[in-house]
Amino acid sequence: ETGVTQSPTHLIKTRGQQVTLRCSSQSGHNTVSWYQQALGQGPQFIFQYYREEENGRGNFPPRFSGLQFPNYSSELNVNALELDDSALYLCASSTQQGAYEQYFGPGTRLTVT
Amino acid sequence: KQEVTQIPAALSVPEGENLVLNCSFTDSAIYNLQWFRQDPGKGLTSLLLIQSSQREQTSGRLNASLDKSSGRSTLYIAASQPGDSATYLCAVRPRSNTGKLIFGQGTTLQVKP
């Protein structure tokens, strides 16, 4: 197991609502990346945070936003939820050195009804 | 635009068989390539990471190779076991953006006792 934790494990929301997902990075890691994995698909990169700043973004609309805190933990916020937002949301922590290897958490399963 | 493809999408083999999973990518400008394992509804477990300058990596019964010029990687699993049943994902880290991983859709492996 990695030292990356995510909460909550499962979440059910209604279309139009807002949701916040949380991630605690592995000790010594200063970078957090978020991915969305729809059923039967590979994960898609949402964005990355390094030292509390967004450090790269995938092809996701602005209603997907994030934060990173001084302790390097992170939040993913999604506004105006749509049915297609139903997915497994994965966070990964890493450093900005060496192989940039990312260590993944267990994920949060979000269901939008 | 980098695209990663994994073939086949699903594979079923009897226990004890040696097998090969394939991954191809369209842009050879990669920093490294990583193979992951994912159990149903769970996060990703890193299996092997190959730097762009390397040809292969081995861990136990697993061997991953990389041919950057042809845009291909293979994951070889020796003497498969029922516990190897899972989805296997390959991901490339672009040289232009080492912050993100681009994933294939995965190969779901079933090893029958």
Side-chain angles (χ1 to χ4, degrees):
Chain A
E1 279 192 12
T2 70
V4 181
T5 61
Q6 291 186 245
S7 63
T9 304
H10 296 93
L11 202 52
I12 300 174
K13 289 287 189 178
T14 303
R15 190 171 51 183
Q17 286 188 317
Q18 178 266 343
V19 69
T20 297
L21 310 182
R22 295 177 176 82
C23 172
S24 292
S25 59
Q26 186 165 305
S27 177
H29 287 180
N30 55 16
T31 303
V32 174
S33 304
W34 286 92
Y35 293 82
Q36 179 196 65
Q37 186 178 24
L39 203 60
Q41 304 293 317
Q44 299 288 319
F45 175 74
I46 303 174
F47 44 55
Q48 182 182 84
Y49 277 82
Y50 169 58
R51 291 186 176 179
E52 302 178 56
E53 298 281 337
E54 188 178 288
N55 184 41
R57 188 179 184 93
N59 193 24
F60 280 81
R63 59 189 185 85
F64 285 78
S65 63
L67 284 172
Q68 187 180 31
F69 301 100
N71 66 355
Y72 305 126
S73 65
S74 177
E75 286 182 355
L76 165 65
N77 298 292
V78 187
N79 294 322
L81 283 167
E82 301 176 0
L83 296 179
D84 284 349
D85 295 334
S86 296
L88 182 68
Y89 287 85
L90 297 163
C91 85
S93 75
S94 61
T95 65
Q96 290 289 323
Q97 300 174 351
Y100 299 93
E101 187 169 4
Q102 295 180 359
Y103 296 83
F104 283 80
T108 292
R109 170 70 63 188
L110 172 64
T111 301
V112 182
T113 61
Chain B
K1 178 188 172 186
Q2 176 74 269
E3 293 183 358
V4 180
T5 303
Q6 292 186 246
I7 295 173
L11 185 62
S12 180
V13 300
E15 181 177 4
E17 193 161 298
N18 302 325
L19 58 101
V20 174
L21 306 181
N22 296 296
C23 172
S24 62
F25 48 95
T26 56
D27 187 345
S28 62
I30 64 170
Y31 190 78
N32 56 38
L33 181 145
Q34 205 164 351
W35 282 93
F36 293 89
R37 169 186 171 136
Q38 185 174 34
D39 293 297
K42 304 295 185 182
L44 307 182
T45 300
S46 179
L47 297 174
L48 291 164
L49 183 149
I50 312 177
Q51 297 285 30
S52 62
S53 58
Q54 297 176 321
R55 296 285 292 185
E56 65 179 323
Q57 282 286 340
T58 298
S59 175
R61 295 183 293 108
L62 305 179
N63 176 279
S65 69
L66 175 63
D67 184 343
K68 207 172 55 167
S69 61
S70 68
R72 293 181 182 180
S73 176
T74 61
L75 179 66
Y76 174 83
I77 302 177
S80 58
Q81 303 170 357
D84 294 331
S85 298
T87 295
Y88 291 81
L89 294 153
C90 77
V92 300
R93 181 173 280 104
R95 187 169 295 281
S96 60
N97 183 345
T98 52
K100 73 175 183 180
L101 292 171
I102 301 172
F103 285 84
Q105 292 191 319
T107 294
T108 298
L109 171 66
Q110 182 183 32
V111 181
K112 297 180 178 179

